[in-house]
Amino acid sequence: LQNNAIQIQNCDGNASGALVIPSSYNGYPVTSIRYKAFNHCSDLVSIAIPDSVTFIDRWTFEDCRSLTSVSIPNSITSIEDGAFLGCISLTSVTIPGSVTSIGYWAFGGCSSLSSVTISNGVTSIKDRAFVGCSSLTSVTIPESVTSLESQAFKGCSNLQSVIIADGVSGIEGGA
């Protein structure tokens, strides 16, 4: 409990199956999922995040190797570094327009990720955000993006179509 809100952290590494994070606990809102909260929970299959959560911290779901789906609500404003790094079974993700920044390595090594929807509102896609997403075949960068950092899509060996909306600025070399 911090600032009259619940922050999820240090969860049991044996968590498995479908995870539904509650919007409140003992009358307090659940507002963030903290650093490494569920990392290496290799038997988690799906995660539903409530609208009360605004922040997904660094390495939160790193190496959740069985994770196939995640529901990211419109309340999330940032997906931090390595948040879903190594989630090799994750097949699709929709990043809502409420998210302004996709962190370094946020979806790195998600080798089964074949569909990514980046909504208008995202302004920054950090270095290597989608590195090694070898099943990704197409991506559309919305006009709200002002910073597409280098190697954001490095190692996306099946990427055949990249649509960059008018107005996108700040594309670094090797992006």
Side-chain angles (χ1 to χ4, degrees):
L1 181 65
Q2 185 175 351
N3 297 326
N4 289 320
I6 300 293
Q7 299 179 357
I8 297 175
Q9 57 191 17
N10 301 325
C11 292
D12 184 351
N14 295 318
S16 63
L19 174 67
V20 177
I21 297 172
S23 60
S24 65
Y25 181 76
N26 286 341
Y28 294 101
V30 175
T31 59
S32 64
I33 308 169
R34 302 307 297 180
Y35 178 73
K36 293 188 174 187
F38 293 98
N39 73 324
H40 303 291
C41 289
S42 58
D43 293 326
L44 278 180
V45 174
S46 66
I47 301 165
I49 301 170
D51 287 340
S52 61
V53 173
T54 59
F55 183 72
I56 300 175
D57 205 351
R58 295 171 298 133
W59 321 111
T60 300
F61 299 105
E62 175 194 13
D63 281 333
C64 291
R65 302 176 73 74
S66 299
L67 185 66
T68 59
S69 69
V70 60
S71 170
I72 301 173
N74 288 326
S75 57
I76 299 294
T77 58
S78 181
I79 299 173
E80 293 295 312
D81 302 346
F84 295 93
L85 176 67
C87 293
I88 61 172
S89 298
L90 188 62
T91 58
S92 69
V93 65
T94 297
I95 300 167
S98 59
V99 171
T100 58
S101 178
I102 302 170
Y104 300 97
W105 293 86
F107 294 93
C110 294
S111 56
S112 296
L113 191 61
S114 60
S115 173
V116 173
T117 301
I118 303 172
S119 300
N120 202 34
V122 173
T123 59
S124 176
I125 301 173
K126 301 289 186 184
D127 181 41
R128 299 180 186 203
F130 294 95
V131 69
C133 294
S134 56
S135 295
L136 192 59
T137 58
S138 68
V139 66
T140 299
I141 308 298
E143 64 184 18
S144 58
V145 172
T146 57
S147 176
L148 179 60
E149 294 187 6
S150 68
Q151 301 182 18
F153 294 95
K154 181 181 181 176
C156 296
S157 54
N158 287 307
L159 191 58
Q160 298 171 13
S161 171
V162 177
I163 299 170
I164 301 174
D166 290 340
V168 171
S169 62
I171 301 174
E172 292 185 10

